[in-house]
Amino acid sequence: MKRMLLTISYDGTAYHGWQVQNNAITVQSVMCDALEQILKRKVALTGTSRTDAGVHAKEFTCHFDCEDTIPEAAFLRGLNGLLPPDIAVTDCKQVESDFHARYNARGKTYCYHIYNSNKKDAFKSRYSWTVERKLDIEKMNEFAKAIIGTHDFYAFSSSGRSVENTVRTISECRVEKQGDDVILTVTADGFLYNMVRIIVGTAVAVSDGRISVSEIPFILESKQREKAGVTAPAQGLFLEKVHY
């Protein structure tokens, strides 16, 4: 028996997130169907995390166990041939038998894309949040610096969280403007349910002046979700990289 690690990318628009759900198409269910066609058996596929409906991934990792000795390059070609155009396997390699795609991850990097313009763009709606009013990048970066470090991010998570420990360590958070695109990049040892999207919504609220940077420590300490910003739409969020 050998353990294989797959690296995939996907456009999450058509899917109800990664994890298998009843009566819904998910990335995991589509991946399992393709693997079962190749391996001729049921496959237990374990992902590095759960992504929500509409969220995208440039680098998502998952593992499964396999007795087959199919050459990795041929296996990758065959698997991609069975997958729809919006899911791509970019790497396939054997790992140690005790490797775990989720528990071995040291952290993840997410990028959130905001289209900051009052001009409609037909190609932005699937992959960014359109905010027409001008955003203050300097204020947003002040907020980004304020949340770097180890904090209890209870106030920056939604009620659907599945964990009791809400303390996380953010090692990087920054906001950059590229033309009409504003991109927030955040790296942490882990993320709570909707945490990145609430961080983005709060950054926009700070830009608008509805929340001041000086309030951030009190919002964190309060553990009250309603004191933070809105939950930004799913389509602007990309899982950029998994760190092992």
Side-chain angles (χ1 to χ4, degrees):
M1 185 71 67
K2 61 181 181 179
R3 179 154 293 185
M4 303 298 297
L5 178 68
L6 299 177
T7 303
I8 69 173
S9 60
Y10 56 84
D11 177 339
T13 305
Y15 302 99
H16 290 262
W18 159 260
Q19 193 168 339
V20 169
Q21 300 178 35
N22 293 328
N23 303 316
I25 299 175
T26 68
V27 178
Q28 186 181 30
S29 63
V30 172
M31 287 290 302
C32 284
D33 288 345
L35 285 167
E36 289 166 15
Q37 288 187 59
I38 291 180
L39 301 176
K40 309 302 181 185
R41 63 174 177 82
K42 292 286 185 181
V43 175
L45 186 63
T46 301
T48 187
S49 64
R50 178 182 68 179
T51 57
D52 296 333
V55 173
H56 317 291
K58 292 185 179 179
E59 182 182 288
F60 185 98
T61 51
C62 48
H63 76 258
F64 67 97
D65 293 327
C66 167
E67 295 180 353
D68 303 77
T69 56
I70 301 171
E72 291 167 13
F75 181 80
L76 189 150
R77 288 195 300 271
L79 186 56
N80 274 322
L82 292 170
L83 290 169
D86 51 9
I87 302 176
V89 182
T90 57
D91 191 35
C92 170
K93 64 182 179 182
Q94 185 173 353
V95 292
E96 296 296 327
S97 59
D98 61 350
F99 178 89
H100 196 283
R102 178 181 176 187
Y103 298 128
N104 280 81
R106 295 184 294 106
K108 299 178 181 70
T109 297
Y110 281 90
C111 287
Y112 193 95
H113 294 251
I114 299 172
Y115 176 55
N116 191 205
S117 174
N118 58 10
K119 298 178 181 178
K120 186 174 181 178
D121 188 316
F123 301 101
K124 296 289 186 180
S125 61
R126 287 171 64 111
Y127 307 111
S128 60
W129 176 21
T130 298
V131 177
E132 295 187 359
R133 59 195 178 278
K134 186 177 180 180
L135 293 175
D136 188 323
I137 306 304
E138 184 176 345
K139 283 186 177 180
M140 294 175 78
N141 270 311
E142 289 176 6
F143 161 74
K145 290 178 182 177
I147 62 171
I148 291 175
T150 302
H151 306 284
D152 188 332
F153 283 96
Y154 187 98
F156 287 81
S157 64
S158 295
S159 59
R161 74 185 76 82
S162 58
V163 295
E164 293 184 5
N165 181 9
T166 52
V167 175
R168 297 292 185 271
T169 299
I170 291 180
S171 57
E172 175 193 26
C173 190
R174 68 179 190 274
V175 181
E176 300 172 292
K177 185 171 177 61
Q178 301 176 5
D180 289 329
D181 296 317
V182 173
I183 303 169
L184 185 147
T185 302
V186 58
T187 300
D189 58 355
F191 292 91
L192 303 171
Y193 182 51
N194 283 344
M195 180 173 160
V196 180
R197 292 165 59 189
I198 296 169
I199 286 173
V200 172
T202 307
V204 170
V206 169
S207 170
D208 291 344
R210 290 179 282 115
I211 296 176
S212 70
V213 173
S214 63
E215 294 178 76
I216 300 305
F218 301 102
I219 293 173
L220 289 165
E221 291 171 12
S222 75
K223 296 186 178 182
Q224 296 181 41
R225 167 67 188 93
E226 62 271 18
K227 291 186 179 297
V230 300
T231 303
Q235 74 270 13
L237 184 58
F238 290 77
L239 173 57
E240 197 77 12
K241 187 172 182 62
V242 182
H243 303 281
Y244 288 107

